[in-house]
Amino acid sequence: TKVQGIVEYGMHDMNCLLSEPNDVDAMVKNVVQLINDAALRNKLYQAGLETVKKYSWERSADGLNSFIEKILKREAFVANVSR
């Protein structure tokens, strides 16, 4: 469903099928579509695998580490300029 968190990586008809929260008819439609359309299932499966690669713990840790390094460099620069 289109809820916070999911919509950050889930793209309707690209790597998943989304529906509004509590819209049971839309959810049923999506499930039936997946049951009946093998090509769509495979497309979403393959795209989902590619999406998952972007969100590994290692990649997240690397991104956090880079962010912290930038902050520390900026603070060191400000400290040196302030002297």
Side-chain angles (χ1 to χ4, degrees):
T1 58
K2 294 179 183 176
V3 293
Q4 189 175 14
I6 301 296
V7 295
E8 293 175 17
Y9 60 84
M11 295 169 284
H12 185 72
D13 275 336
M14 297 191 73
N15 62 4
C16 67
L17 295 178
L18 293 171
S19 60
E20 295 297 328
N22 302 314
D23 186 344
V24 176
D25 291 335
M27 290 180 212
V28 169
K29 179 184 170 198
N30 288 342
V31 171
V32 169
Q33 188 176 3
L34 288 172
I35 290 169
N36 292 327
D37 191 337
L40 177 63
R41 279 195 315 271
N42 188 51
K43 172 188 152 187
L44 296 178
Y45 170 76
Q46 295 299 325
L49 291 177
E50 291 303 312
T51 300
V52 168
K53 291 177 185 176
K54 298 176 188 174
Y55 296 96
S56 70
W57 283 112
E58 183 177 347
R59 188 171 180 148
S60 295
D62 289 345
L64 179 59
N65 189 44
S66 294
F67 176 75
I68 291 170
E69 286 177 357
K70 286 179 188 176
I71 298 283
L72 293 175
K73 287 178 185 176
R74 195 173 306 149
E75 287 186 13
F77 174 78
V78 170
N80 286 334
V81 169
S82 299
R83 289 184 186 174

